[in-house]
Amino acid sequence: MTETKNTRGHSFLFECFQIVSLCLVWYSSSAAGNVIIKELLNKFPFPLTVTLVQLLSIWILCIPLIRIWKVPPPEYLYQNRIYYFKVIIPLAIGKFLAQLSSHVSLWKVPISYAHTIKATMPLFTVFLSRLILHERQTLPVYLSLIPVVIGVIIATMTEISFNMTGLISALLSTFGFSLQNIYSKKSLKDIAIHHFILLSLLAKISCCLFIPFWFFYDGVDIYNNKKYHQHNLAMQVLFYLILDGILNFIHNVVAFTMISLVSPLSYSVANSTKRIVVISTSLLILQNPVTMTNIVGMSLALFGVMFYNKAKYDQRRAQHKEAILPLVRSEPALQPLNHDDLQSSHPASELTARHHQIPFESRPSISYENQTFKNV
């Protein structure tokens, strides 16, 4: 008994250590990646190129990861190619456009403001869930959106480095990621596919679809701009691109692993905490000018996100109880059987006939009262 308790204790401690370690890696890679992207886009203003390098890094680095993890191939997808056109390709296009819009927003506005705008994801999720999945939310869920909207409005009105292109790009990115999450939830229910395989497929298809656009849009401009032919600047940009691709790959892998380890509420809380870490890190390292009112708006928006996560968790628990209670109510109540009532309503000979499935009229009238069990 003591050994079992010790084993459970060690297992629980190992799981806690694993989750804490993953959170530290997740937060560090995300914060460092955002800072590097901001510095990279200031020197190399080509967000389409940055997006393609990130997706190409995920595609290449997923190959050894899938082999080391021994992930089984998606047989269901191989047998149903139509899902590539109905599910995988739309998800790949959505992922690319959302990621590109995110990079444009980081290029035009500070990291802290861009991530404050992305805190409006619950608002888009509720709206799109109602529109696509016809899901109704509880009153606390709707009320939790109020501080999110107010906080974003305050942060927008008091943002010193405000840019309309950055604001629209951040909103489009948030809308794209919300739509991608809901569409995958709606369409991928019956597809047995590992999340590493899905991540690799989305990156590969996105690269193949948008490399021609990159060649005519960014490729020609980079080639004609003699500034980027300088050895020092070219090596610095290449270093930033490779480092950002590796950090983005780590961020995606750890995020998918966290989803498989913890509950949805724990993941949402960890994701909200990650946003706070990214905003704080960008303010400390890049030292963007902010006002106290701007900080209040950011804090209010993040508090609304935490309140939304709690309200959604309570809603799921209530729906789970409502799904179970009707089954419990429908079970018939088993009343104790009185032996005297049974004998008075049904004689012993009739009960014996019923037990042996023989018509009562065809059985002889035999008394078993004075016989032993062996004789009977």
Side-chain angles (χ1 to χ4, degrees), residues 311-368:
K312 286 292 292 183
Y313 174 72
D314 294 338
Q315 181 185 9
R316 292 191 191 98
R317 289 190 63 185
Q319 291 174 349
H320 182 66
K321 289 181 179 179
E322 289 178 0
I324 294 177
L325 284 177
L327 299 177
V328 176
R329 293 194 188 101
S330 64
E331 290 291 336
L334 298 178
Q335 301 294 336
L337 190 61
N338 193 338
H339 181 68
D340 296 334
D341 295 340
L342 180 64
Q343 283 189 339
S344 61
S345 59
H346 301 284
S349 56
E350 180 181 349
L351 293 176
T352 306
R354 287 186 180 181
H355 176 70
H356 292 282
Q357 298 180 353
I358 300 176
F360 173 67
E361 293 80 2
S362 63
R363 291 189 55 84
S365 180
I366 304 174
S367 176
Y368 295 97

Side-chain angles (χ1 to χ4, degrees), residues 281-301:
T281 304
S282 67
L283 292 176
L284 290 174
I285 296 178
L286 301 178
Q287 296 182 352
N288 300 321
V290 291
T291 62
M292 184 57 66
T293 311
N294 193 250
I295 294 176
V296 170
M298 295 178 188
S299 303
L300 186 60

Side-chain angles (χ1 to χ4, degrees), residues 180-191:
Q180 178 185 338
N181 293 338
I182 292 174
Y183 186 75
S184 60
K185 175 185 175 182
K186 184 176 185 297
S187 304
L188 296 178
K189 287 181 179 179
D190 300 328
I191 300 179

Side-chain angles (χ1 to χ4, degrees), residues 46-282:
F46 296 97
L48 179 59
T49 303
V50 175
T51 304
L52 273 178
V53 170
Q54 284 188 351
L55 294 173
L56 186 62
S57 302
I58 293 174
W59 178 14
I60 294 173
L61 295 175
C62 270
I63 296 174
L65 176 67
I66 291 172
R67 291 181 178 177
I68 293 172
W69 233 262
K70 297 181 180 179
V71 178
E75 298 293 342
Y76 188 76
L77 269 182
Y78 293 156
Q79 297 172 3
N80 298 270
R81 290 288 181 176
I82 192 171
Y83 273 95
Y84 274 101
F85 300 96
K86 293 181 62 177
V87 177
I88 302 300
I89 292 180
L91 283 175
I93 296 174
K95 179 177 177 60
F96 176 84
L97 294 178
Q99 205 159 332
L100 176 62
S101 301
S102 176
H103 291 152
V104 173
S105 67
L106 290 176
W107 173 33
K108 294 294 184 180
V109 297
I111 297 175
S112 56
Y113 179 63
H115 278 270
T116 304
I117 297 299
K118 291 179 181 179
T120 58
M121 183 174 286
L123 180 65
F124 289 104
T125 302
V126 168
F127 172 73
L128 292 173
S129 297
R130 183 73 182 95
L131 187 65
I132 298 175
L133 303 179
H134 306 289
E135 290 183 355
R136 294 182 180 273
Q137 312 297 332
T138 58
L139 181 61
V141 173
Y142 290 117
L143 292 177
S144 67
L145 300 177
I146 297 177
V148 175
V149 175
I150 294 176
V152 171
I153 291 175
I154 294 174
T156 301
M157 294 178 63
T158 58
E159 177 59 44
I160 299 175
S161 305
F162 176 77
N163 182 278
M164 183 58 69
T165 304
L167 171 63
I168 295 175
S169 299
L171 290 174
L172 287 175
S173 172
T174 309
F175 176 82
F177 281 121
S178 301
L179 185 63
Q180 178 185 338
N181 293 338
I182 292 174
Y183 186 75
S184 60
K185 175 185 175 182
K186 184 176 185 297
S187 304
L188 296 178
K189 287 181 179 179
D190 300 328
I191 300 179
I193 183 172
H194 196 274
H195 50 264
F196 289 164
I197 297 286
L198 178 61
L199 182 63
S200 176
L201 275 177
L202 295 181
K204 178 172 64 174
I205 295 174
S206 298
C207 285
C208 294
L209 289 177
F210 288 96
I211 279 180
F213 294 96
W214 170 85
F215 181 79
F216 290 104
Y217 188 77
D218 273 5
V220 175
D221 292 342
I222 295 172
Y223 179 78
N224 294 330
N225 196 331
K226 301 299 181 181
K227 173 185 176 182
Y228 301 108
H229 293 184
Q230 301 175 10
H231 182 267
N232 292 336
L233 181 60
M235 293 303 296
Q236 189 176 10
V237 168
L238 182 62
F239 173 75
Y240 275 147
L241 285 172
I242 295 175
L243 183 59
D244 174 60
I246 295 174
L247 289 173
N248 182 259
F249 168 76
I250 295 173
H251 172 267
N252 278 274
V253 170
V254 174
F256 275 111
T257 307
M258 286 289 295
I259 291 174
S260 64
L261 285 178
V262 301
S263 64
L265 176 64
S266 300
Y267 177 79
S268 300
V269 172
N271 194 28
S272 303
T273 308
K274 182 203 74 173
R275 201 174 298 281
I276 296 174
V277 172
V278 171
I279 292 175
S280 304
T281 304
S282 67

Side-chain angles (χ1 to χ4, degrees), residues 7-17:
T7 304
R8 291 179 180 176
H10 291 312
S11 177
F12 176 74
L13 290 175
F14 175 75
E15 186 176 352
C16 292
F17 174 76

